[in-house]
Amino acid sequence: MVKAADRARNPARSSVWLENGDRRAARSGGGPAGLDRDRIVAASIRMLDEEGLAKLSMRKLATELNVTAMSLYWYVDTKDDIIEYAIDTCYAEIDLAEVDSAGDWRDRIKVLALAYRRMLVRHPWMSPCAGQYLNIGPHAIAVGSKIQEAVRASGLPLDRQPSAMSAVFQFVYGYGTIESQFQRRANEAGMSQDDFYGESIRAFRDDPRFVEALEPIAEILDERASHGTVSDIWDRDFDYALEVLIAGIEVMVERSRSDRPAE
């Protein structure tokens, strides 16, 4: 496993997935009775979903599993190891068979984007982890490969494909992050998303200090308030934004074809 000191010295090359595969396999079994790495990871995901990244500790995880903290070190060396395994386990929630059966590249992008968004919302701690860890576990790589396949099938030139992937999936990452954190704030306030949103909007719309600043966007705020539930708004805006991005890829495909020199 990756030692904490190794991560501190060389974070760009530190990942549990870069360790020798035989050693990883050896550490995944043969430990204390009734405990294995899959069980540890499943418990860690439950704790992360319920309490967040900051509150995960080896001691609390051991208590959750009803084992000693030392028992965990048979399978992992650090909390970072656990988080890396948890990240990859969450990527496995994206149904790649559904992607394969979706149809053309547009439909595949839509299926991937929606599944990625839903995964981020289910696991609010995933977003801050994306930039802290290498995301090179087998499930993460499999999802990345499906994204590349879908964008490649659009017909974009090779040098433009990474930009298109970024446009779509960094949008999804940002959207899912905002959605998940809004849901978290509402939960912490003991309110539904609808009540939390309504109270938040009224808090500044009723404040005279914001009247002038809000005048240019009042029409938009009124439209959103009349559309339906917060969940409806999340879905509507996401679907349309994704259509805009896909339409943009289509335009750029045609532009690249017209820019090619005649043979």
Side-chain angles (χ1 to χ4, degrees), residues 73-254:
Y73 291 104
W74 183 270
Y75 301 94
V76 293
D77 281 340
T78 67
K79 185 173 74 171
D80 292 291
D81 292 349
I82 294 173
I83 293 171
E84 284 201 83
Y85 287 128
I87 289 170
D88 201 59
T89 299
C90 290
Y91 274 108
E93 295 174 7
I94 296 176
D95 188 347
L96 300 185
E98 183 183 4
V99 176
D100 289 336
S101 63
D104 69 6
W105 65 271
R106 300 166 187 81
D107 293 329
R108 281 181 276 159
I109 284 178
K110 290 176 183 177
V111 170
L112 282 161
L114 181 58
Y116 183 36
R117 170 196 162 199
R118 287 174 172 168
M119 183 264 282
L120 290 170
V121 173
R122 278 194 301 272
H123 308 293
W125 53 273
M126 280 286 292
S127 295
C129 288
Q132 297 180 43
Y133 299 90
L134 293 183
N135 293 271
I136 56 173
H139 297 297
I141 289 177
V143 171
S145 295
K146 291 299 179 184
I147 292 171
Q148 292 175 26
E149 288 174 11
V151 173
R152 184 167 61 243
S154 71
L156 278 173
L158 180 62
D159 63 334
R160 299 304 186 193
Q161 292 171 22
S163 300
M165 286 187 285
S166 295
V168 175
F169 289 94
Q170 287 185 23
F171 152 71
V172 178
Y173 168 81
Y175 199 96
T177 297
I178 293 170
E179 184 179 0
S180 68
Q181 295 310 308
F182 183 87
Q183 181 174 289
R184 179 186 62 80
R185 287 287 304 277
N187 290 339
E188 289 176 349
M191 303 170 72
S192 69
Q193 288 193 75
D194 293 334
D195 290 342
F196 187 80
Y197 178 73
E199 286 293 317
S200 300
I201 295 296
R202 285 191 291 274
F204 64 84
R205 292 198 79 174
D206 293 344
D207 190 322
R209 293 171 297 177
F210 288 93
V211 171
E212 185 176 350
L214 291 175
E215 187 174 346
I217 62 171
E219 189 176 25
I220 287 289
L221 291 173
D222 290 340
E223 191 282 332
R224 294 180 77 80
S226 67
H227 180 72
T229 68
V230 170
S231 293
D232 291 336
I233 294 172
W234 285 125
D235 290 343
R236 180 194 68 163
D237 290 352
F238 180 83
D239 291 345
Y240 189 75
L242 192 55
E243 291 285 356
V244 169
L245 289 168
I246 290 172
I249 293 175
E250 292 173 331
V251 169
M252 299 309 290
V253 168
E254 290 304 314

